[in-house]
Amino acid sequence: MKHERLIYLPLGGAAEIGMNCYVYGWGPADAERLIVVDLGVTFPDMATSPGVDLIMPDIEWLAERADRIEAIFLTHAHEDHVGALGHLWGRLRAPVHARRFTANIAARKMEEQGQDGGNVLEVLPWPEQIEVGPFRVGFLPISHSIPESSALVIDTPAGRLIHTGDFKLDTRPVVGEPFQRSLWEEVASVGVRAMICDSTNVFVPHPGRSESVVGPEIELLVAEATGMVVATTFASNVARLKTLAEAGRASGRSVCLVGRAMRRMVEAAVQTGVLTDFPSTVSPEEAREIPRASLMLLATGSQGERRAASAQLSRGKHLGLQMVEGDTFLFSSKTIPGNEREVGRIVNAFSEMGVDVIDDSSDRYHVSGHANRPDLATMHELVAPKILVPMHGEHRHLREHAKLARERGIAAAIAPNGTMLDLTGDEPKVAGYVDAGRIYLDGTVKFGALDGIVRDRLRLAMNGHVLVTMIIDEDDEPLGEPWCESSGLAETGRSNAPLVDVLEADLAQLVGRADAKTIRDDDALEEALRRRVRQSAMDEIGKKPEVTVVISRLS
Amino acid sequence: MKHERLIYLPLGGAAEIGMNCYVYGWGPADAERLIVVDLGVTFPDMATSPGVDLIMPDIEWLAERADRIEAIFLTHAHEDHVGALGHLWGRLRAPVHARRFTANIAARKMEEQGQDGGNVLEVLPWPEQIEVGPFRVGFLPISHSIPESSALVIDTPAGRLIHTGDFKLDTRPVVGEPFQRSLWEEVASVGVRAMICDSTNVFVPHPGRSESVVGPEIELLVAEATGMVVATTFASNVARLKTLAEAGRASGRSVCLVGRAMRRMVEAAVQTGVLTDFPSTVSPEEAREIPRASLMLLATGSQGERRAASAQLSRGKHLGLQMVEGDTFLFSSKTIPGNEREVGRIVNAFSEMGVDVIDDSSDRYHVSGHANRPDLATMHELVAPKILVPMHGEHRHLREHAKLARERGIAAAIAPNGTMLDLTGDEPKVAGYVDAGRIYLDGTVKFGALDGIVRDRLRLAMNGHVLVTMIIDEDDEPLGEPWCESSGLAETGRSNAPLVDVLEADLAQLVGRADAKTIRDDDALEEALRRRVRQSAMDEIGKKPEVTVVISRLS
């Protein structure tokens, strides 16, 4: 029998922010029993993935080894940790373990994709542990920006692992469990072989601030506002929703949740008992009848998402509600890098309406849900693992986090997606590389990010498109002249004649001079037409379009 | 004769950052004599303007009144103030006035577009004034992040205007003229009717810092670096280039400029005498032979531009130079909102190489070239204009800047692009609205941002494309079956058969069942085919592509 080993393999979330998916294994090499931690998504953007609906990790490696998967564990209910569950579960078909609130969200994700939500099993937090194959896994409460976030304590024959999940050190998190140092000390006291640790905020130099500090600031702001107040935050930040709603209530305002994601999250949090004393809310219909100064809306769309409530309000009426001069709009959130333009569009639209916008440039109305650099150092000290593996972060975050650990004398390894580490020895060792990548959900179809489909879309968008059709008769003679249609291109260029006329004249000339051999050869004729279109367009409008040639032969 | 009036009309730069273009006029309504201040560009992006090369203000209104334009004035040589000169001058044909360094750059811009650089006239700074029609215009030195930036003192029959251009209050700018309070006091002492004032940094709460503060920090960083050091900044920030090069020299390194824009700027600055004592540099060929620890590169591409030197280095060898583990890469710049992804890509690529990246998150190695909120307040106080018109900024910046002025009792008006203000009275009044917009340079063609061409490209990118060809014979009978080709779409969907096969089968069925009237009617047939393709694709892959139908009739 082969030597047994403990492996770690990130398939998403390592060398990127979002799309978390990690694999652990124990057993003889290439026959390890496996567990999966998180199945998250990341979001497409117009610049690199136009038309795509959702981006998920490529789990081909896992799917081929589905018989070796003991279980799937979910650390918390953020989209970048559970969003792909419903889409990918069918290829893994292992039981899913999560705490109550997370399980509620996860089961809904399963059912939305036609899977049985019954595959999601509720577990109790530490000290409960679930035995799956060679692993015993416990959910250790840790604070984050969504209720019931948990680190995983993974006991293996090679020792204890701690997979932190996303976390911050918050002793007053408003909703959910506070960070309990003593609990962590107890868990770490037996010795931790490796800690696999959140890295997103490693470059933030100051200690993280508690969720509880924003309450008084928000209360002040809302109390001083004269018109309607609209606040946006991440729908899943249930603590913040509570803080915002309480600030509304404290200033005598009725509170209205605008946006499905937000209503769902509050519902799930109340149902599962993690949210209590949430101020009662009014419906948008009721809100319309309430004087503006007595109203506060909590709206989805803090990242400028086009279809979310905030963007809708920035474009005018939404559900009969409308912002006007003198109202206040609060971003109780942080703009995720890359979303600046979308958020800016909303801010400027409100500015044009005369609405006072409190954006994310002050730190007064938002705190991060992730551990900053000093908090990570605290965690390194507290857990004192033999090995640290930075996860969840871009490459620069992983690299910096590894440096931070090494400064304390902890062995560290950078393992981007697809890098399998052997954690059995004193030092982490690279055990191999696995194809890891991104799968695009596009409409109802999934394909690989590198399959060329999106590349073709980007080319169409960059270069525009010309289509050429031509008919060749039974005697291999052109029937009429080539016909062109263009899209995404200027209608006229240098010569001031319509572009398609110029192209058609050039192609007619080419066909007129072509020898019989070329006319008989589809590939040669197609290539000649394509080249002429690109060259003529270059002369005429200074760019070379994408070209599709269709030759119809009557023979 | 009509009442004479003083007008202000922004055509670019007001309610956006970039693409500056402002018009002033004096005379009877609709017969004012005009001057133009700046002709800048803004840059396209993949998400909203794919394939576009450059974005310029729509100057149709000005071009129609070219006979009324006395002159064009350029405040400084940044692309967003002079970049459109060569492209648009042919429609305005008025003399261009600029100070020496700016004129050098501007003349080159003219010649690159086939215009006579001799139309750009060099002027001396204040107290010189140029008389053009009813205006006397002087160039008042002010500090910014490029040499010889100037505010314009515009004396009109209705009193003095000050158009600040872009500026900061820097008494030690390293290169170029310091801010001289006494000079400004003198200019303001006669009374200023209106100040038209830079707004970009109105939300930055602390006073701006001098260019001179970054020198010691950069020197320390470069001295401590062990491998090669590469620094990037805006090519036009000649002062920063000097600071960086001097830091290189101080630590015994040879300095090499990598990137055409940077070499050009230094050349222009030396030629025109604004830059003296720039350390001697080596060519990339020479640099290859120098030990890494004795080398410092200054590279273009601080915003992550794909083709610039920084991005090239992040992808591997560039001009025979390559970064390796232990080297240092410094962003002596700020990431402009919207460029985060591109810059992040470079940072992570360097991280993978083991290069230490100093990004823009600390404020130690970069200072802004714009006046912050307290600096704007200082300027309001110093100039004490009757009217303040915020310019150069997004709508939210203009609005906030107007608020700031009103707090001091100064009348203020927000005038986004296309808003004509009458500045003749005590209060600014809206005198009308003019079509203002964006012109895209695409290859060698210009078209309006709203002409639908780019919208079509975005649709192709979002939805993919299917083309359908069909031949109808002399008897109005289909000849063969419709033929489909797709681009930017999954090859197979729900049924696992090739998408085009499914579409062709569905179209063949449709054509088989179509009545003779539909087959004879191009529009009806085309519409029927298009709808079927969209519906079949929706069933098969869950999205509706763009469709082009070409019907060829042999009759």
Side-chain angles (χ1 to χ4, degrees):
Chain A
M1 186 172 145
K2 277 193 194 173
H3 185 67
E4 295 192 302
R5 64 182 188 176
L6 176 64
I7 58 167
Y8 161 76
L9 169 64
L11 293 176
E16 70 189 323
I17 293 180
M19 204 179 87
N20 291 273
C21 179
Y22 308 90
V23 182
Y24 294 91
W26 169 263
D30 302 322
E32 296 89 354
R33 300 303 298 173
L34 307 172
I35 58 173
V36 180
V37 177
D38 292 342
L39 275 169
V41 294
T42 193
F43 295 99
D45 62 74
M46 200 53 209
T48 61
S49 44
V52 171
D53 294 289
L54 215 48
I55 302 175
M56 299 180 283
D58 181 351
I59 55 153
E60 187 61 27
W61 186 90
L62 265 182
E64 286 170 2
R65 291 157 182 79
D67 58 324
R68 286 163 48 193
I69 305 173
E70 298 284 351
I72 299 165
F73 294 88
L74 304 176
T75 59
H76 63 287
H78 276 148
E79 287 293 322
D80 61 337
H81 295 259
V82 306
L85 180 69
H87 297 282
L88 300 181
W89 187 84
R91 302 187 66 201
L92 307 178
R93 312 193 73 78
V96 180
H97 301 276
R99 292 180 63 196
R100 194 168 181 196
F101 172 76
T102 310
N104 181 299
I105 305 283
R108 185 139 45 183
K109 295 270 166 208
M110 290 282 278
E111 277 157 15
E112 281 169 2
Q113 300 306 320
Q115 305 290 356
D116 179 5
N119 290 300
V120 181
L121 310 170
E122 270 182 46
V123 298
L124 291 173
W126 185 263
E128 294 289 316
Q129 280 188 290
I130 301 129
E131 202 164 326
V132 289
F135 303 101
R136 286 169 59 86
V137 181
F139 286 73
L140 188 62
I142 183 84
S143 41
H144 184 41
S145 48
I146 189 168
E148 281 190 356
S149 289
S150 301
L152 300 178
V153 180
I154 307 173
D155 286 330
T156 79
R160 177 163 283 186
L161 304 180
I162 293 185
H163 179 101
T164 65
D166 291 353
F167 76 99
K168 66 185 289 191
L169 305 183
D170 194 340
T171 54
R172 293 174 59 213
V174 179
V175 167
E177 298 129 326
F179 170 63
Q180 269 188 279
R181 197 182 168 95
S182 58
L183 181 63
W184 277 75
E185 276 169 348
E186 176 206 315
V187 167
S189 64
V190 303
V192 172
R193 161 158 292 279
M195 178 158 71
I196 294 83
C197 188
D198 180 4
S199 309
T200 54
N201 279 15
V202 67
F203 287 108
V204 185
H206 56 77
R209 296 177 305 144
S210 166
E211 179 65 30
S212 59
V213 305
V214 299
E217 296 282 356
I218 292 173
E219 204 161 302
L220 206 65
L221 180 82
V222 175
E224 285 178 354
T226 50
M228 180 165 75
V229 176
V230 182
T232 185
T233 190
F234 304 95
S236 57
N237 194 332
V238 174
R240 188 68 50 78
L241 293 178
K242 188 178 182 190
T243 298
L244 290 164
E246 281 177 349
R249 179 168 61 180
S251 69
R253 292 169 187 267
S254 297
V255 174
C256 175
L257 300 178
V258 190
R260 203 172 47 156
M262 220 170 239
R263 286 197 308 278
R264 274 199 181 173
M265 273 291 166
V266 169
E267 215 175 274
V270 170
Q271 262 175 28
T272 55
V274 298
L275 182 62
T276 51
D277 306 323
F278 194 80
S280 64
T281 59
V282 298
S283 70
E285 295 70 36
E286 291 166 321
R288 276 181 237 156
E289 309 302 321
I290 295 169
R292 321 187 64 75
S294 303
L295 189 58
M296 176 156 176
L297 312 183
L298 306 188
T300 50
S302 67
Q303 300 306 309
E305 301 92 328
R306 263 192 70 77
R307 294 180 203 162
S310 296
Q312 303 261 20
L313 284 166
S314 80
R315 291 194 292 267
K317 243 180 203 169
H318 178 56
L319 303 175
L321 299 162
Q322 188 164 20
M323 300 206 72
V324 300
E325 181 152 9
D327 288 345
T328 299
F329 189 96
L330 169 64
F331 282 90
S332 182
S333 56
K334 184 187 162 250
T335 302
I336 294 170
N339 296 337
E340 288 78 4
R341 284 177 207 263
E342 290 71 20
V343 170
R345 209 169 289 138
I346 292 184
V347 173
N348 285 309
F350 284 136
S351 177
E352 286 177 37
M353 295 177 187
V355 170
D356 288 313
V357 179
I358 319 295
D359 69 11
D360 71 347
S361 59
S362 97
D363 280 335
R364 289 161 68 180
Y365 309 107
H366 179 65
V367 293
S368 169
H370 292 269
N372 293 349
R373 188 182 189 88
D375 310 319
L376 293 172
T378 299
M379 204 60 150
H380 295 177
E381 186 187 4
L382 177 62
V383 174
K386 191 175 284 204
I387 295 171
L388 185 116
V389 184
M391 56 121 181
H392 206 195
E394 297 171 12
H395 196 282
R396 58 182 166 146
H397 300 108
L398 304 186
R399 184 160 180 269
E400 187 71 14
H401 195 177
K403 272 192 193 174
L404 186 68
R406 288 184 192 127
E407 281 169 17
R408 193 177 293 275
I410 302 173
I414 301 167
N417 293 337
T419 309
M420 186 189 289
L421 290 183
D422 181 337
L423 300 177
T424 323
D426 286 342
E427 296 270 346
K429 281 196 310 251
V430 173
Y433 297 97
V434 156
D435 279 340
R438 296 178 156 210
I439 297 294
Y440 289 159
L441 176 70
D442 185 68
T444 51
V445 180
K446 297 188 194 101
F447 49 77
L450 302 179
D451 284 3
I453 295 164
V454 164
R455 181 202 59 206
D456 288 351
R457 286 184 197 170
L458 293 172
R459 285 188 183 158
L460 288 170
M462 291 289 289
N463 306 325
H465 184 247
V466 170
L467 93 83
V468 179
T469 60
M470 191 179 167
I471 304 175
I472 312 281
D473 71 11
E474 295 85 346
D475 307 320
D476 284 337
E477 292 287 336
L479 193 63
E481 290 174 348
W483 169 270
C484 293
E485 296 205 14
S486 74
S487 40
L489 292 171
E491 280 176 24
T492 59
R494 199 168 54 96
S495 68
N496 276 320
L499 173 64
V500 289
D501 291 359
V502 174
L503 296 178
E504 285 172 358
D506 286 353
L507 292 182
Q509 195 193 50
L510 177 141
V511 168
R513 293 180 185 171
D515 54 25
K517 192 165 155 256
T518 305
I519 300 286
R520 278 197 306 271
D521 180 342
D522 268 4
D523 290 344
L525 182 57
E526 191 178 318
E527 183 55 21
L529 292 169
R530 181 195 321 276
R531 288 178 66 157
R532 178 58 65 93
V533 166
R534 286 167 64 83
Q535 185 190 321
S536 298
M538 190 69 202
D539 290 346
E540 196 61 19
I541 58 170
K543 66 191 292 170
K544 293 184 173 176
E546 301 299 301
V547 182
T548 308
V549 177
V550 179
I551 298 168
S552 307
R553 291 186 186 270
L554 301 186
S555 53
Chain B
M1 184 172 144
K2 277 193 193 172
H3 186 66
E4 295 190 303
R5 65 181 187 176
L6 176 64
I7 58 167
Y8 161 76
L9 170 65
L11 293 175
E16 71 190 323
I17 293 181
M19 203 179 86
N20 291 273
C21 179
Y22 308 91
V23 182
Y24 294 91
W26 168 263
D30 302 323
E32 297 90 353
R33 299 304 297 174
L34 307 172
I35 57 173
V36 180
V37 176
D38 293 341
L39 276 168
V41 295
T42 193
F43 296 98
D45 62 75
M46 200 54 211
T48 62
S49 43
V52 170
D53 294 288
L54 216 47
I55 303 175
M56 298 180 283
D58 182 352
I59 55 154
E60 187 61 28
W61 186 89
L62 267 182
E64 285 169 3
R65 290 157 182 81
D67 59 322
R68 285 164 48 193
I69 304 173
E70 298 283 353
I72 299 165
F73 295 87
L74 303 177
T75 59
H76 63 288
H78 275 148
E79 287 293 321
D80 62 336
H81 295 260
V82 306
L85 181 68
H87 296 282
L88 300 180
W89 186 84
R91 302 187 67 200
L92 307 178
R93 311 194 74 78
V96 180
H97 301 276
R99 292 181 64 196
R100 196 168 180 198
F101 172 77
T102 310
N104 180 300
I105 305 282
R108 185 139 47 183
K109 295 269 166 210
M110 290 283 278
E111 278 157 16
E112 281 170 2
Q113 300 305 320
Q115 305 290 356
D116 180 4
N119 289 299
V120 181
L121 309 171
E122 269 182 47
V123 299
L124 291 171
W126 185 265
E128 293 291 316
Q129 281 188 288
I130 301 133
E131 202 164 325
V132 289
F135 302 102
R136 286 168 58 85
V137 180
F139 285 73
L140 190 62
I142 183 85
S143 42
H144 184 41
S145 48
I146 190 169
E148 281 190 355
S149 289
S150 302
L152 299 177
V153 181
I154 306 172
D155 285 329
T156 80
R160 177 163 283 185
L161 305 180
I162 293 184
H163 179 100
T164 65
D166 290 353
F167 76 100
K168 67 185 288 189
L169 305 182
D170 193 338
T171 53
R172 293 174 59 212
V174 180
V175 168
E177 298 129 327
F179 171 63
Q180 270 189 277
R181 195 183 170 96
S182 58
L183 181 65
W184 278 75
E185 276 170 350
E186 176 207 314
V187 168
S189 65
V190 303
V192 171
R193 163 158 290 281
M195 178 158 70
I196 295 82
C197 190
D198 180 5
S199 310
T200 54
N201 279 14
V202 66
F203 286 108
V204 185
H206 57 76
R209 295 176 306 145
S210 166
E211 180 64 29
S212 59
V213 305
V214 298
E217 296 281 357
I218 291 173
E219 204 161 303
L220 205 64
L221 181 81
V222 175
E224 285 178 354
T226 50
M228 181 166 74
V229 176
V230 182
T232 185
T233 188
F234 304 96
S236 58
N237 194 333
V238 174
R240 188 67 51 77
L241 292 178
K242 188 178 182 190
T243 298
L244 290 165
E246 282 178 348
R249 181 168 59 182
S251 69
R253 291 167 186 268
S254 297
V255 174
C256 175
L257 300 176
V258 190
R260 204 171 47 158
M262 221 170 238
R263 286 198 308 277
R264 272 199 183 171
M265 273 291 167
V266 169
E267 214 175 274
V270 170
Q271 262 175 29
T272 55
V274 298
L275 182 60
T276 51
D277 305 324
F278 193 79
S280 66
T281 58
V282 298
S283 70
E285 293 71 33
E286 293 167 316
R288 276 180 237 158
E289 308 302 322
I290 295 169
R292 319 186 67 75
S294 302
L295 189 59
M296 176 157 176
L297 312 184
L298 306 188
T300 50
S302 67
Q303 299 306 308
E305 300 92 330
R306 261 191 72 75
R307 293 180 205 163
S310 297
Q312 302 262 20
L313 284 167
S314 80
R315 291 195 293 268
K317 243 180 203 167
H318 179 55
L319 303 174
L321 300 162
Q322 188 164 20
M323 300 204 73
V324 300
E325 180 151 10
D327 289 344
T328 300
F329 190 96
L330 168 64
F331 282 90
S332 182
S333 57
K334 186 189 161 247
T335 302
I336 294 170
N339 297 337
E340 288 78 5
R341 282 176 209 262
E342 288 72 19
V343 170
R345 210 169 289 139
I346 291 184
V347 174
N348 285 309
F350 284 136
S351 176
E352 286 177 37
M353 295 177 189
V355 170
D356 287 313
V357 179
I358 318 296
D359 69 10
D360 73 345
S361 60
S362 97
D363 281 334
R364 289 160 69 181
Y365 309 107
H366 180 66
V367 293
S368 169
H370 292 270
N372 293 349
R373 189 185 189 87
D375 311 318
L376 292 172
T378 299
M379 203 61 149
H380 295 177
E381 186 187 4
L382 177 63
V383 174
K386 193 175 280 203
I387 294 169
L388 185 117
V389 184
M391 56 118 181
H392 205 194
E394 297 172 13
H395 196 282
R396 58 184 166 144
H397 300 109
L398 305 184
R399 183 160 182 269
E400 188 70 15
H401 195 177
K403 271 192 192 175
L404 186 69
R406 287 182 192 128
E407 281 169 17
R408 193 177 294 274
I410 302 172
I414 300 167
N417 293 337
T419 310
M420 187 188 289
L421 290 184
D422 181 337
L423 300 177
T424 323
D426 287 341
E427 296 269 345
K429 280 195 312 247
V430 173
Y433 297 97
V434 157
D435 280 340
R438 295 177 156 210
I439 298 293
Y440 289 158
L441 176 70
D442 186 67
T444 51
V445 180
K446 298 189 194 97
F447 49 76
L450 303 179
D451 285 4
I453 294 164
V454 165
R455 180 202 60 207
D456 288 351
R457 286 184 198 171
L458 294 172
R459 284 187 183 159
L460 287 171
M462 292 289 288
N463 307 325
H465 183 246
V466 170
L467 101 80
V468 180
T469 60
M470 190 179 167
I471 304 175
I472 312 280
D473 71 11
E474 295 84 345
D475 305 321
D476 284 335
E477 292 288 335
L479 193 63
E481 290 175 348
W483 169 268
C484 293
E485 297 205 15
S486 74
S487 40
L489 292 171
E491 279 176 25
T492 58
R494 197 168 54 97
S495 67
N496 276 320
L499 174 64
V500 288
D501 291 358
V502 174
L503 297 178
E504 286 173 358
D506 286 354
L507 292 183
Q509 193 193 51
L510 176 141
V511 168
R513 292 179 185 170
D515 54 26
K517 189 161 157 260
T518 303
I519 299 286
R520 279 198 305 271
D521 180 342
D522 268 2
D523 290 345
L525 182 57
E526 191 179 318
E527 183 57 21
L529 292 169
R530 181 194 320 277
R531 288 177 67 159
R532 178 59 65 91
V533 167
R534 288 168 62 83
Q535 187 190 320
S536 297
M538 190 69 201
D539 290 346
E540 196 62 17
I541 59 169
K543 66 192 291 169
K544 292 184 173 177
E546 301 300 300
V547 182
T548 308
V549 177
V550 179
I551 298 167
S552 307
R553 290 186 187 270
L554 302 186
S555 53

